[in-house]
């Protein structure tokens, strides 16, 4: 059974215990509403490490839209069952006050990559992401942390932050896990209506189709998506769209 830890103090006590002596530690930070994409990260961690820790913390500082935070799915009992089935060792489950003892007065701000793609349409989003990931890694002190490539911009920013601050952790990118339809797994998929769930797989299909960016945008709009952005950089095509009230992101190699 996974052991739940709620406080930094309790975690520090565990970290200093004999169980951690010479152990290799893997870490999978999440916001909950776990799915098979998260499961793939935990499986990789358990295969490569002696101890695997997952965290669940619905981080309010990375939400620029209060309604998005309010509507974010919370499925704790299902999450706990999944972690147990995957033989994760610990779940770090802190409160807001435990993480933000400074009331978010101290922040990690990146001045380049965080300003484009998702950062352009979600001001402050990556400041919240980087700040909380820095805190979580400093608390857990893992050898390795695992992040999915669906959020490829996030992965690059976290990797860059850890390098910039000389953090002693290896950031491992893991392949995007998809439904058979091609739709990238996401916690927000739970918010799609049955009708939207039928349309949603067309996002990836159109995103990876041949053609110029304006042709991709036109194809998505004709299918029923509201396009936030489609951009090509770093050898990838990145996209963010709205389907109803749900924002979906994806990226493909080009």
């Amino acid at each position: 059974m996974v052991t739940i830890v709620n406080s930094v103090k309790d975690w520090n006590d565990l970290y200093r215990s004999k169980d951690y002596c010479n152990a290799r530690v893997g870490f999978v930070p999440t916001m909950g509403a776990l799915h098979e994409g998260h499961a793939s990260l935990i499986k990789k961690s358990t295969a490569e490490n002696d101890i695997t820790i997952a965290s669940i913390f619905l981080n309010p500082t990375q939400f620029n839209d209060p309604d998005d935070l309010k509507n974010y799915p919370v499925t704790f009992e299902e999450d706990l069952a999944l972690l147990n089935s995957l033989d994760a060792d610990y779940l770090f489950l802190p409160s807001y006050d435990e993480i933000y003892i400074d009331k978010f007065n101290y922040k990690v701000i990146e001045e380049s990559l965080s300003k484009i793609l998702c950062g352009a349409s979600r001001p402050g989003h990556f400041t919240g992401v980087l700040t909380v990931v820095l805190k979580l890694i400093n608390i857990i002190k893992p050898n390795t942390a695992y992040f999915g490539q669906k959020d490829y911009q996030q992965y690059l920013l976290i990797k860059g932050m850890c390098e910039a601050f000389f953090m002693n952790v290896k950031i491992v990118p893991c392949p995007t896990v998809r439904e058979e339809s091609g739709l990238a797994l996401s916690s927000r998929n739970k918010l799609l209506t049955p009708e939207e769930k039928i349309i949603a797989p067309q996002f990836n299909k159109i995103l990876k189709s041949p053609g110029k960016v304006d042709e991709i945008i036109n194809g998505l709009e004709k299918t029923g998506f509201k396009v936030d952005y489609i951009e090509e950089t770093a050898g990838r095509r990145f996209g963010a769209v709205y389907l109803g009230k749900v924002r979906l992101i994806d990226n493909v190699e080009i």
Side-chain angles (χ1 to χ4, degrees):
M1 295 288 288
V2 65
T3 299
I4 299 176
V5 181
N6 299 109
S7 74
V8 176
K9 179 183 181 304
D10 287 347
W11 184 259
N12 285 337
D13 289 343
L14 274 169
Y15 187 80
R16 288 190 290 265
S17 70
K18 64 180 181 180
D19 290 341
Y20 261 84
C21 183
N22 298 319
R24 182 166 183 82
V25 178
F27 179 43
V28 180
T30 84
M31 293 203 299
L34 304 184
H35 49 67
E36 285 303 311
H38 297 108
S40 71
L41 306 182
I42 294 167
K43 289 175 183 176
K44 187 168 178 62
S45 177
T46 57
E48 297 180 349
N49 299 280
D50 303 309
I51 296 173
T52 290
I53 301 99
S55 65
I56 294 178
F57 179 66
L58 185 52
N59 179 38
T61 68
Q62 69 188 70
F63 286 82
N64 60 301
D65 180 356
D67 287 337
D68 191 19
L69 174 60
K70 180 181 177 181
N71 294 325
Y72 197 88
V74 176
T75 58
F76 179 72
E77 294 303 323
E78 293 91 336
D79 295 349
L80 189 58
L82 180 62
L83 292 173
N84 279 319
S85 73
L86 296 169
D87 295 324
D89 297 289
Y90 294 99
L91 169 61
F92 186 52
L93 189 68
S95 66
Y96 177 89
D97 289 336
E98 192 72 20
I99 293 296
Y100 290 108
I101 59 172
D102 62 323
K103 307 302 181 186
F104 198 45
N105 285 320
Y106 292 87
K107 305 173 185 180
V108 179
I109 299 174
E110 194 276 344
E111 296 286 7
S112 180
L113 179 56
S114 67
K115 307 300 183 183
I116 64 173
L117 304 174
C118 282
S121 56
R122 301 185 69 189
H125 167 66
F126 285 119
T127 293
V129 170
L130 293 175
T131 301
V132 78
V133 171
L134 176 69
K135 287 172 178 278
L136 289 169
I137 289 176
N138 281 342
I139 293 166
I140 302 300
K141 297 176 276 290
N143 300 96
T144 310
Y146 300 85
F147 294 87
Q149 291 187 8
K150 179 180 73 70
D151 300 292
Y152 198 81
Q153 183 181 14
Q154 173 182 277
Y155 152 69
L156 290 177
L157 283 163
I158 290 169
K159 181 175 180 289
M161 175 186 71
C162 291
E163 292 171 352
F165 289 109
F166 308 102
M167 297 170 67
N168 189 25
V169 60
K170 180 181 179 182
I171 303 300
V172 176
C174 300
T176 301
V177 178
R178 301 181 182 276
E179 298 181 3
E180 289 186 12
S181 64
L183 177 65
L185 293 184
S186 170
S187 299
R188 286 185 172 84
N189 292 356
K190 299 176 187 289
L191 303 175
L192 294 168
T193 67
E195 295 77 14
E196 291 167 347
K197 194 70 183 292
I198 294 171
I199 300 170
Q202 294 300 312
F203 178 28
N204 177 255
K205 182 177 179 180
I206 296 171
L207 189 66
K208 67 183 182 183
S209 63
K212 298 179 180 180
V213 167
D214 58 350
E215 294 172 326
I216 302 298
I217 292 173
N218 187 51
L220 288 167
E221 290 177 341
K222 285 183 176 179
T223 307
F225 296 96
K226 178 183 176 182
V227 176
D228 184 350
Y229 67 82
I230 302 294
E231 296 184 31
E232 294 177 351
T233 185
R236 288 179 178 263
R237 179 181 289 156
F238 294 83
V241 298
Y242 286 91
L243 190 55
K245 296 181 179 180
V246 182
R247 188 174 187 272
L248 304 173
I249 66 170
D250 204 345
N251 66 90
V252 296
E253 289 186 278
I254 53 175

